[in-house]
Amino acid sequence: WIHLLLFSLSFSVCKTIAPTAFQTCSYNQSHNSSSPFFFFYENRNDIKNGSILRLTTSPYQTALQLHERIQSSSMDAKLEALKDLANASRDITFAQEFINLDGISLLTQMVESGTDFGDLLSFTLTAFVELMDHGIVSWDTFSVAFIKKIASYVNKSAMDTAVLQRSLAILESMVLNSQDLYHKVAQEITIGQLIPHLQGTDQDIQTYTIAVINALFLKAPEEKRQNVIRSPTPINDEMAHQLYVLQVLTFNLLEDRMMTKMDPQDQAQRDIIFELRRIAFDVECEPNNSGSIEKRKSMYTRDYKKLGFINHVNPAVDFTQIPPGMLALDNMLYFARHHQDAYIRIVLENSSREDKHECPFGRSSIELTKMLCEILKVGDENCHDFHPMFFTHDRSFEEFFCICIQLLNKTWKEMRATSEDFNKVMQVVREQIMRALTLKPNSLDQFKSRLQNLSYTEILKIRQSERMNQEDFQSRPILELREKIQPEIMELIKQQRLNRLCEGTCFRKISSRRRQDKFWYCRLSPNHKVLHYGDLEESPQGEVPHDSLQDKLPVADIKAVITGKDCPHMKEKGALKQNKEVLELAFSVLYESDEYLNFIAPDKHEYCVWTDGLNALLGKEMTSDYTKSDMDTLLSMEMKLRLLDLENIQIPEAPPPIPKEPSNYDFVYDCN
């Protein structure tokens, strides 16, 4: 009681003495930035149990002192002042006082001067971020010089981690809070300059970088976004690769939540489940004295059963399975808050059905989240699928989940499923999602519309059709016919490859400095006995005659064809630093004793044509992806032609005449 009396008396003194306040003694970086740092008589109820306080000067006096101290000529004194400023700035009362002293302008001038580095700059930017987070000052007030300076910290290859983090956070806020600043930031920094930060090992830097990239995408004009992601023209290989890297890193950020078990004793985590119950049944948390404990437990158990949890008494136990861990709960809460009508409809629909026919929302969400992580290979570096639609929303994975959980509920009803059919429904839903993703939708809306065309009935039709085709082509007579035709098709592919070698290809010469200096041309003689090659001054327009190619290599002298990193020109100094694409296009011809003719194909198609052709000349098997693809296509066509029922049908030797054009095209229907 004495302590309580002294505590109350202290606040009464604070109320009467303006320049004083209570301040928390320690600053925890993980502390919620919205919590007060200074306490007065008015906000004394915000003090948490166990907090240690000390009497200090008022926010105004503190702001005045720090305003003077951060301009000190002593570097040590200035550093300590900036540390204190960064800590105090999270308090909105202090922030208001410091901003009134024109503190923001002072910090921007310090940054623009470029005289501070390391910890000085880090704490300056930290204080700036904390002050701006209160929303007191408009982002539109900052100069181009300040933007350029912040962008320069991001564009530097070697920069202090803390400075880089704060700079990325500032750029993200600028882009999201001002359309005018978006244009200025976009002039200073490109996505290509941000990509290297994604290739490091610091996950915080990766997170901030992805946030900036997402902000740039979201604020970009629609036509510019379409040009980058949803253009009707194909995305070039480099752009697709960089977006794929970004997608993998973005998904991998989910891995931590996916592999985190829920702690059934953690009240903050349990509050999320209470929130799901509150939104679904429009109930507020009852006070502790409302009814008996048994009655409240019974009511909770009933509601958790309606929500579809496996453990009705303590649903927190459902989230101890990893994967998907806490990621499933995150998805459910996002769905409940951002698609509230759909969430309530699903829960109430199923709670009104018979026990056997209800689609359990809780269990479905957990299993669906696990399935989506498997499909998108969350946490797996070997994921090779790029999906443009995940770049059209800042919470794309959560929105993806929201679409899929509604699909699951729809499919459950179409299948008239019972609780025993749960796994069957999940298999159908997986197939629906996989088939829709195969079509590479450009947006989440397009993905949703594709799913509408893949109802359970349609999936059954597709399965039946595929089964019939498979049965037709797996019978013994068909397999024997395939084996008979295959050598003919392979010979046809071989002739096509050799004909392409006879036409020749223009290759680029890449010097040791990786500059593309000049061209050279190589072609096979019509009798398939000699390779003619020679240098060119520029890229030719059409075929180059044999006579103009000075050098020759008899095919009989060729000993082997070497590809990839085993090639001599890929082992030279500095060559291994070349990008992966160059390694995949490199091949060499070994002749005589350790003599090589080195190639770097202009693209993957030419690489396959030349390696196949050279192997064919040496009597070896053609193993490229293009050979396999051509074999499948031509073999399928030939099989279908030979299996046509042509008995008593006269096949004309000349093609039929092309009919005249119709007088109008009113009968045409645009399928799009």
Side-chain angles (χ1 to χ4, degrees):
W1 285 104
I2 293 173
H3 286 293
L4 182 60
L5 180 63
L6 289 172
F7 187 67
S8 302
L9 182 61
S10 299
F11 269 111
S12 299
V13 171
C14 282
K15 187 177 180 182
T16 56
I17 304 175
T20 60
F22 278 102
Q23 186 183 50
T24 51
C25 290
S26 61
Y27 176 61
N28 184 353
Q29 293 291 349
S30 63
H31 186 68
N32 185 352
S33 61
S34 63
S35 300
F37 187 55
F38 290 91
F39 293 99
F40 316 91
Y41 183 81
E42 291 79 6
N43 68 346
R44 65 191 186 282
N45 291 329
D46 292 335
I47 299 174
K48 296 186 183 298
N49 288 336
S51 297
I52 301 174
L53 307 178
R54 65 182 174 87
L55 192 64
T56 186
T57 54
S58 68
Y60 170 75
Q61 291 293 332
T62 305
L64 198 61
Q65 292 169 9
L66 287 175
H67 193 275
E68 294 174 2
R69 287 170 58 201
I70 63 175
Q71 300 179 69
S72 171
S73 57
S74 167
M75 289 297 124
D76 291 338
K78 187 175 181 179
L79 178 60
E80 288 303 314
L82 286 168
K83 284 182 182 178
D84 293 341
L85 177 62
N87 288 347
S89 293
R90 64 188 173 92
D91 183 89
I92 191 168
T93 310
F94 170 85
Q96 185 69 67
E97 298 292 354
F98 189 78
I99 289 168
N100 290 342
L101 295 171
D102 212 16
I104 291 285
S105 298
L106 178 58
L107 292 177
T108 55
Q109 289 168 16
M110 291 167 63
V111 172
E112 289 174 16
S113 68
T115 55
D116 293 338
F117 300 96
D119 288 342
L120 283 172
L121 181 57
S122 170
F123 284 112
T124 302
L125 295 178
T126 302
F128 176 85
V129 170
E130 294 285 0
L131 290 168
M132 291 303 297
D133 278 350
H134 296 295
I136 300 170
V137 179
S138 170
W139 283 93
D140 288 308
T141 58
F142 298 107
S143 66
V144 174
F146 179 72
I147 297 169
K148 286 179 178 288
K149 182 60 71 172
I150 296 297
S152 71
Y153 299 144
V154 174
N155 290 334
K156 284 183 181 176
S157 56
M159 176 53 65
D160 179 79
T161 302
V163 172
L164 181 56
Q165 273 189 20
R166 304 299 182 273
S167 300
L168 289 167
I170 291 170
L171 289 178
E172 182 199 6
S173 296
M174 284 180 172
V175 171
L176 291 177
N177 288 287
S178 169
Q179 191 64 32
D180 183 48
L181 285 185
Y182 156 73
H183 293 293
K184 292 176 181 176
V185 171
Q187 290 175 354
E188 299 300 324
I189 196 161
T190 64
I191 292 174
Q193 291 168 312
L194 292 168
I195 293 296
H197 297 311
L198 295 174
Q199 297 167 340
T201 56
D202 191 311
Q203 195 173 57
D204 289 333
I205 295 296
Q206 291 175 343
T207 305
Y208 280 108
T209 303
I210 289 171
V212 175
I213 292 173
N214 286 340
L216 288 170
F217 272 122
L218 289 172
K219 284 293 182 176
E222 188 65 22
E223 65 276 6
K224 189 172 180 181
R225 230 183 308 167
Q226 287 179 352
N227 288 340
V228 175
I229 301 296
R230 290 174 276 170
S231 171
T233 58
I235 297 172
N236 64 53
D237 291 342
E238 180 61 23
M239 182 65 176
H241 175 70
Q242 297 297 357
L243 289 172
Y244 150 74
V245 171
L246 175 59
Q247 176 187 280
V248 170
L249 291 167
T250 305
F251 287 158
N252 285 355
L253 293 175
L254 303 170
E255 185 180 11
D256 183 52
R257 295 293 284 174
M258 180 181 78
M259 301 306 292
T260 300
K261 292 182 180 181
M262 183 172 182
D263 181 1
Q265 306 305 319
D266 189 318
Q267 187 58 44
Q269 295 178 3
R270 290 168 63 86
D271 285 345
I272 299 175
I273 299 177
F274 292 152
E275 178 72 358
L276 291 173
R277 173 178 173 266
R278 184 193 67 77
I279 295 172
F281 305 114
D282 194 23
V283 295
E284 298 296 334
C285 293
E286 295 83 1
N288 291 333
N289 58 0
S290 64
S292 66
I293 295 176
E294 289 76 13
K295 182 180 178 182
R296 281 190 285 116
K297 280 186 177 180
S298 173
M299 187 166 52
Y300 286 159
T301 301
R302 181 199 66 203
D303 289 347
Y304 292 147
K305 184 175 184 296
K306 289 180 179 179
L307 281 169
F309 290 111
I310 297 173
N311 192 314
H312 306 152
V313 178
N314 186 7
V317 176
D318 289 13
F319 300 97
T320 56
Q321 172 194 351
I322 54 170
M326 288 296 292
L327 185 60
L329 188 58
D330 294 343
N331 285 338
M332 293 166 70
L333 183 62
Y334 181 90
F335 181 50
R337 285 178 172 171
H338 294 83
H339 300 270
Q340 196 169 112
D341 291 343
Y343 167 69
I344 293 172
R345 187 187 71 251
I346 288 175
V347 173
L348 296 184
E349 265 184 16
N350 288 292
S351 62
S352 62
R353 291 179 189 159
E354 295 178 24
D355 283 353
K356 279 192 174 183
H357 289 277
E358 65 179 6
C359 176
F361 173 73
R363 182 186 176 191
S364 300
S365 298
I366 292 168
E367 290 302 319
L368 179 63
T369 301
K370 182 180 178 182
M371 180 201 293
L372 297 182
C373 290
E374 290 171 357
I375 291 172
L376 298 176
K377 294 183 170 61
V378 173
D380 185 354
E381 296 293 342
N382 295 321
C383 172
H384 298 295
D385 292 328
F386 162 60
H387 301 288
M389 71 178 188
F390 288 109
F391 294 90
T392 60
H393 197 284
D394 58 335
R395 301 291 295 276
S396 56
F397 182 79
E398 289 87 346
E399 287 292 326
F400 182 51
F401 168 84
C402 293
I403 293 170
C404 294
I405 191 66
Q406 293 178 76
L407 168 72
L408 193 154
N409 190 63
K410 174 173 169 281
T411 303
W412 184 281
K413 289 189 287 186
E414 291 173 349
M415 293 177 66
R416 302 177 186 275
T418 63
S419 54
E420 287 82 7
D421 301 319
F422 185 86
N423 290 333
K424 292 179 183 177
V425 175
M426 295 304 294
Q427 288 172 7
V428 173
V429 170
R430 175 186 279 271
E431 187 172 346
Q432 290 170 314
I433 295 170
M434 293 290 287
R435 289 185 182 277
L437 287 177
T438 303
L439 299 170
K440 300 290 181 187
N442 289 322
S443 67
L444 289 164
D445 287 338
Q446 203 175 96
F447 171 71
K448 193 173 181 179
S449 66
R450 297 265 167 84
L451 287 176
Q452 289 174 352
N453 297 327
L454 288 169
S455 64
Y456 175 58
T457 306
E458 187 62 28
I459 291 294
L460 289 179
K461 288 180 182 177
I462 293 171
R463 286 180 174 178
Q464 181 68 15
S465 174
E466 290 178 348
R467 194 180 301 115
M468 289 177 65
N469 289 335
Q470 189 176 14
E471 287 171 358
D472 287 346
F473 283 91
Q474 293 302 317
S475 61
R476 185 174 176 183
I478 299 296
L479 292 175
E480 290 177 356
L481 180 60
R482 283 175 65 91
E483 290 177 8
K484 182 180 178 182
I485 296 173
Q486 267 184 334
E488 300 174 23
I489 301 295
M490 186 58 74
E491 183 62 28
L492 183 64
I493 295 171
K494 175 182 173 182
Q495 289 304 318
Q496 188 273 340
R497 299 294 193 263
L498 294 176
N499 290 340
R500 278 289 292 109
L501 264 61
C502 290
E503 293 173 12
T505 301
C506 178
F507 298 92
R508 287 183 180 272
K509 277 196 170 183
I510 298 182
S511 68
S512 58
R513 297 181 181 178
R514 292 186 63 189
R515 284 204 325 268
Q516 296 176 340
D517 296 327
K518 54 184 179 178
F519 303 91
W520 68 289
Y521 200 87
C522 185
R523 64 181 298 182
L524 181 65
S525 63
N527 61 6
H528 301 171
K529 291 187 177 181
V530 179
L531 282 176
H532 297 266
Y533 62 96
D535 294 341
L536 300 175
E537 292 300 323
E538 58 184 6
S539 182
Q541 303 297 321
E543 293 184 17
V544 176
H546 295 91
D547 301 340
S548 61
L549 301 174
Q550 307 87 357
D551 301 307
K552 298 180 182 179
L553 173 59
V555 172
D557 292 346
I558 298 176
K559 295 182 178 179
V561 178
I562 303 168
T563 60
K565 61 183 180 181
D566 296 326
C567 297
H569 55 316
M570 292 293 103
K571 293 181 178 179
E572 293 172 2
K573 185 179 180 181
L576 287 177
K577 295 180 181 178
Q578 299 189 47
N579 59 38
K580 185 181 177 183
E581 286 78 4
V582 173
L583 281 172
E584 290 177 347
L585 299 175
F587 63 97
S588 300
V589 172
L590 171 64
Y591 63 97
E592 293 182 356
S593 55
D594 297 330
E595 293 290 329
Y596 294 91
L597 186 60
N598 297 321
F599 298 76
I600 294 179
D603 53 49
K604 188 69 175 178
H605 180 266
E606 289 296 319
Y607 170 84
C608 291
V609 165
W610 275 84
T611 52
D612 282 344
L614 291 169
N615 281 323
L617 287 172
L618 298 177
K620 295 182 179 179
E621 186 180 355
M622 298 183 292
T623 58
S624 75
D625 294 337
Y626 278 89
T627 294
K628 294 174 185 174
S629 175
D630 289 348
M631 171 61 77
D632 291 341
T633 303
L634 294 172
L635 189 57
S636 175
M637 290 172 60
E638 186 67 20
M639 289 284 291
K640 289 174 182 177
L641 284 172
R642 295 203 184 191
L643 292 172
L644 284 174
D645 186 6
L646 299 177
E647 189 176 355
N648 300 324
I649 295 177
Q650 185 70 27
I651 301 176
E653 295 184 3
I658 299 173
K660 293 181 180 179
E661 290 190 16
S663 58
N664 62 66
Y665 289 88
D666 294 343
F667 58 87
V668 173
Y669 176 73
D670 186 358
C671 295
N672 296 322

